[in-house]
Amino acid sequence: MENTLNIFKRSALHWLCLFFFFIAVQSSCKKNKDQKPEYPAGSNENVNTWILDSLKRYYYWNESLPSNLDISAKPQDFFNSVRNAADRFSYIINPNDPSTYTPNNKNFGFDYSTIKEQTTGQVIGIIKLVLKDSPASRAGLKRGDYINKINGKQLTEANAQTLQNEILSSDHFTLMIAELNNNTWVDKKSVEISKGVILDQREISKVIESDGKKIGYLYLTDFSPGLANSLTAAFSGFKTSGISDLILDLRYNSGGQVAEAAGLCALIAQGVNYDKPFITYKGNKNGGVKTESLGSAATFDGTVNFNTLLQKNLGLSKVYILGTAATASASEVIINNLKPYMQVILIGETTRGKDEASFSISDARNPKQVQWEMHPIVYKLFNSSGIGGYSAGILPDVPVNELSSLPLRQFGEIEDPLLKAAISQVTGKAIAAVNNKLKQAKTKELAVAKVLLDTRIQAANSSIVITHH
């Protein structure tokens, strides 16, 4: 009996040892399976693993990320391979590598449209925007100038994009400014432009008196940090002048900070206060849904005091906004998110359609292993009434094409087609043409048959609403 008991004990001990061995092996296998391999810092595998982990947490479309990925690919190629098909605007850059940036005209300070001209059939460039104190302005370029040659090469339909790329990839280039003489384009002067530093652009503001009304006009290039605070002087002038209406010119404004858009709204609309809901962010399951008040959005970075904005507030019930296909991101937030507060009349063209927001994601580890910086779409945007969904752009209430009347006028001149239409909306009357015969002659000589490319619209494609969440 004792011998049998001993055999049973040895057998039980044997099976118990096997059981614990099996559990240990299973645990080890599971641990090895779950544990991610470690890759050398700076390697494509290391960078791409960080990209994927970040996207799984923040990316709006994180639940549809593809599987079976090649993590040995170059980081930009990898990032583009995992972007959702509906994602038009997310991007990734390496701040230490300029080749990873999308080329643009920011270092030169001008934008232009390339058109096919109706009368002569010739392809010509029209300068649309020249930034103040920029290489372009210092070289003498002006809004409304015409270009017929780039680096000595005549503009054509076939080479328009190639010549634009030459500008973007160079530090120095030459433009030939042309003029139309007896239905023939002739060279006027050669302009050389080199890359240079461009400071923040100030607003253009003025008071226009028309048909007994005082109308405020405000042109803004972007929504850079500190804008709302800098606008308090202009709005103080509007209040002192006793304006009854405001025209907000965002035709080339490709956006920027939500905070500055909120600050501008606080300067314009009636019935505003700190706690008024302003914007709703809808993210993935991790981000959830967040509604932010007007005051919180406008003051999060401490650049402006909300009471200061309220002191300059115009208390308007209606605003007229000038927009084009280059009007994007934070500019569209202004258009959409003012609507619960007041009547918004959009004049011009359908806007770009950026109803999404991003924030910068970089490696927060110490020491940092990844030098890349991501700007993925994190949120879809809605106003305080829950209205958003303008990815196809916001349609104008009053359609106007600024190229319908040439030459282009300077910002704030009442003969500008967009501004003229806005003033007509304010007063209910058509604006009499200034020097009508000259205007009709120039319009008859020069008309747009086809727009081939627009550098400002291309720049708007790379802009994203920037939020602090």
Side-chain angles (χ1 to χ4, degrees):
M1 182 68 178
E2 183 179 350
N3 189 44
T4 302
L5 185 60
N6 287 336
I7 292 173
F8 175 78
K9 287 180 179 180
R10 285 196 298 271
S11 177
L13 183 61
H14 171 75
W15 286 110
L16 190 61
C17 289
L18 284 176
F19 172 77
F20 283 115
F21 175 75
F22 176 76
I23 293 298
V25 170
Q26 287 289 96
S27 176
S28 177
C29 289
K30 186 177 186 301
K31 183 178 180 181
N32 291 335
K33 182 179 179 181
D34 293 342
Q35 186 175 1
K36 295 178 181 177
E38 294 186 6
Y39 300 106
S43 66
N44 288 345
E45 290 83 356
N46 179 270
V47 173
N48 293 336
T49 299
W50 171 80
I51 290 173
L52 191 58
D53 287 345
S54 299
L55 292 178
K56 286 179 179 177
R57 179 176 181 183
Y58 297 107
Y59 194 42
Y60 182 78
W61 296 277
N62 67 339
E63 293 187 356
S64 60
L65 290 168
S67 55
N68 300 322
L69 298 167
D70 178 13
I71 63 169
S72 66
K74 294 180 180 179
Q76 269 189 321
D77 293 339
F78 179 81
F79 183 81
N80 290 332
S81 73
V82 301
R83 278 177 49 181
N84 190 275
D87 182 2
R88 299 170 292 164
F89 305 121
S90 294
Y91 65 95
I92 187 170
I93 60 171
N94 185 335
N96 301 320
D97 184 0
S99 69
T100 63
Y101 289 73
T102 301
N104 57 59
N105 283 350
K106 285 183 178 178
N107 291 318
F108 303 117
F110 78 104
D111 281 288
Y112 68 97
S113 282
T114 304
I115 67 159
K116 187 171 184 179
E117 197 266 308
Q118 185 171 287
T119 304
T120 66
Q122 185 171 328
V123 173
I124 205 84
I126 303 177
I127 301 292
K128 300 179 77 173
L129 172 66
V130 179
L131 298 181
K132 298 176 184 177
D133 195 24
S134 66
S137 67
R138 290 189 287 270
L141 280 189
K142 303 185 302 297
R143 173 172 161 84
D145 282 344
Y146 300 111
I147 307 166
N148 66 342
K149 295 175 186 175
I150 296 175
N151 290 333
K153 301 166 190 173
Q154 186 74 43
L155 270 169
T156 67
E157 279 194 74
N159 70 9
Q161 186 62 59
T162 300
L163 293 180
Q164 162 66 3
N165 292 340
E166 277 190 22
I167 291 176
L168 297 180
S169 61
S170 66
D171 295 329
H172 180 90
F173 60 90
T174 303
L175 300 178
M176 180 59 72
I177 304 302
E179 62 182 358
L180 193 60
N181 190 351
N182 295 324
N183 287 338
T184 302
W185 287 99
V186 296
D187 295 348
K188 183 179 179 182
K189 65 176 180 178
S190 179
V191 176
E192 295 187 2
I193 303 177
S194 300
K195 278 186 177 180
V197 176
I198 302 173
L199 301 178
D200 288 342
Q201 298 295 299
R202 289 299 303 265
E203 73 282 355
I204 298 173
S205 66
K206 64 187 297 187
V207 175
I208 300 169
E209 295 194 32
S210 181
D211 199 43
K213 286 182 173 288
K214 290 185 176 181
I215 307 165
Y217 170 82
L218 182 67
Y219 170 88
L220 299 174
T221 303
D222 56 32
F223 285 95
S224 56
L227 173 71
N229 187 55
S230 71
L231 289 178
T232 54
F235 276 79
S236 178
F238 288 153
K239 285 179 74 72
T240 301
S241 298
I243 67 166
S244 59
D245 299 271
L246 177 67
I247 298 171
L248 183 58
D249 194 341
L250 303 179
R251 74 181 76 190
Y252 301 147
N253 192 314
S254 57
Q257 302 282 344
V258 168
E260 307 310 327
L264 181 56
C265 289
L267 287 165
I268 297 174
Q270 63 181 358
V272 300
N273 60 54
Y274 190 98
D275 295 321
K276 281 273 189 177
F278 174 66
I279 189 168
T280 296
Y281 301 94
K282 293 186 180 180
N284 60 30
K285 288 183 178 179
N286 299 321
V289 178
K290 302 174 183 177
T291 297
E292 188 170 34
S293 74
L294 185 64
S296 176
T299 62
F300 85 94
D301 60 357
T303 62
V304 69
N305 182 287
F306 194 74
N307 286 331
T308 301
L309 298 179
L310 292 182
Q311 290 169 8
K312 311 300 181 184
N313 173 265
L314 298 178
L316 298 177
S317 60
K318 184 186 298 183
V319 66
Y320 303 85
I321 299 181
L322 311 184
T324 67
T327 303
S329 70
S331 291
E332 291 172 298
V333 169
I334 285 283
I335 297 167
N336 187 56
N337 290 36
L338 269 177
K339 288 181 178 179
Y341 293 94
M342 63 195 307
Q343 183 181 2
V344 177
I345 299 173
L346 179 61
I347 298 166
E349 303 169 356
T350 302
T351 63
R352 184 64 189 90
K354 294 197 171 184
D355 60 343
E356 303 158 342
S358 173
F359 50 72
S360 174
I361 298 175
S362 57
D363 187 0
R365 292 172 293 189
N366 190 13
K368 179 182 288 190
Q369 296 184 30
V370 175
Q371 304 303 318
W372 291 78
E373 182 181 285
M374 281 194 296
H375 295 261
I377 297 300
V378 179
Y379 296 110
K380 285 284 190 177
L381 302 176
F382 302 83
N383 64 23
S384 61
S385 298
I387 297 172
Y390 47 88
S391 61
I394 302 173
L395 295 173
D397 300 291
V398 182
V400 180
N401 183 345
E402 70 171 341
L403 295 179
S404 63
S405 177
L406 296 172
L408 290 178
R409 307 287 177 163
Q410 301 306 308
F411 301 124
E413 289 187 7
I414 62 172
E415 283 304 304
D416 165 66
L418 298 185
L419 182 54
K420 182 191 293 187
I423 295 174
S424 295
Q425 288 290 312
V426 173
T427 63
K429 296 182 179 181
I431 304 299
V434 176
N435 201 349
N436 194 48
K437 291 183 180 179
L438 177 62
K439 174 183 178 296
Q440 287 180 345
K442 288 191 174 184
T443 303
K444 183 178 179 181
E445 288 181 2
L446 183 58
V448 177
K450 180 182 180 182
V451 177
L452 302 175
L453 64 84
D454 187 301
T455 64
R456 194 64 183 176
I457 293 176
Q458 290 178 340
N461 287 339
S462 61
S463 72
I464 294 180
V465 176
I466 303 169
T467 179
H468 54 280
H469 284 290

